[in-house]
Amino acid sequence: MSATRTATVRRQGRRPAARRALVLAVAASVAAVDLSLKAWAQTGLPAGGFEAGPVDLRLAYNPGVAFSLAAGAPAAAVIAGTAVVTAALTALVWVSAPTATRLRLAAFAAVLGGAVANLTDRVGDGVVTDYLHSGWWPTFNLADTAIVIGAILLVLSSMGASRAAGKHEARR
């Protein structure tokens, strides 16, 4: 049996329910921390924000999606689109978790946690609360950071899988 196949069988042998629960628990933690920070930002940040080093704390609201794209779209359409993407991501995580590598599980948890946090925040009033400002980048939040880091981890995990498959094919 090939090394890649053996690793897949080993991962599949682990309890799928436990792997799914772990991803969902980490995602829920990411969402909870972000939503707590958003609540604090709305009540605790002074009107002009304050400097905190390379990233300032400044309250802003984003009616659009990433980088304020579709900011003029109806809130219901943005919420519906975000909900569909989040549901599809949840389904992907559910199906993939039993055989995913640890790196991919971490990536799934980060992206899903960020997506759920931003969707939950948006449902209330049609906007996402942002509180991190660098001066040269649009204001963002922890959920956005989790999504970006998770996406980078997904790319890295895919590159690792591609390299492993390439080495396996070279041995044949």
Side-chain angles (χ1 to χ4, degrees), residues 27 30-31 34 106-115 117-118 140-153:
V30 169
D34 177 70
F108 285 154
V111 174
L112 185 59
N118 279 342
F140 58 100
N141 56 50
L142 180 67
D144 299 334
T145 303
I147 291 167
V148 169
I149 290 171
I152 291 168
L153 293 176

Side-chain angles (χ1 to χ4, degrees), residues 32-168:
V33 169
D34 177 70
L35 290 168
S36 297
L37 288 170
K38 287 173 178 171
W40 169 81
Q42 291 175 347
T43 60
L45 275 177
F50 62 86
E51 292 184 25
V55 178
D56 298 335
L57 299 176
R58 184 176 301 162
L59 185 61
Y61 298 98
N62 181 2
V65 291
F67 307 108
S68 297
L69 295 173
V78 175
I79 291 169
T82 304
V84 167
V85 169
T86 303
L89 176 61
T90 303
L92 173 67
V93 169
W94 189 262
V95 169
S96 301
T99 59
T101 63
R102 288 183 182 146
L103 182 60
R104 187 159 289 201
L105 290 174
F108 285 154
V111 174
L112 185 59
V116 167
N118 279 342
L119 176 61
T120 302
D121 184 34
R122 183 180 302 284
V123 167
D125 55 8
V127 297
V128 170
T129 305
D130 290 328
Y131 48 85
L132 300 171
H133 182 75
S134 66
W136 55 273
W137 192 257
T139 305
F140 58 100
N141 56 50
L142 180 67
D144 299 334
T145 303
I147 291 167
V148 169
I149 290 171
I152 291 168
L153 293 176
L154 280 172
V155 168
L156 291 174
S157 71
S158 295
M159 289 170 46
S162 295
R163 280 193 210 131
K167 286 180 184 177
H168 172 69

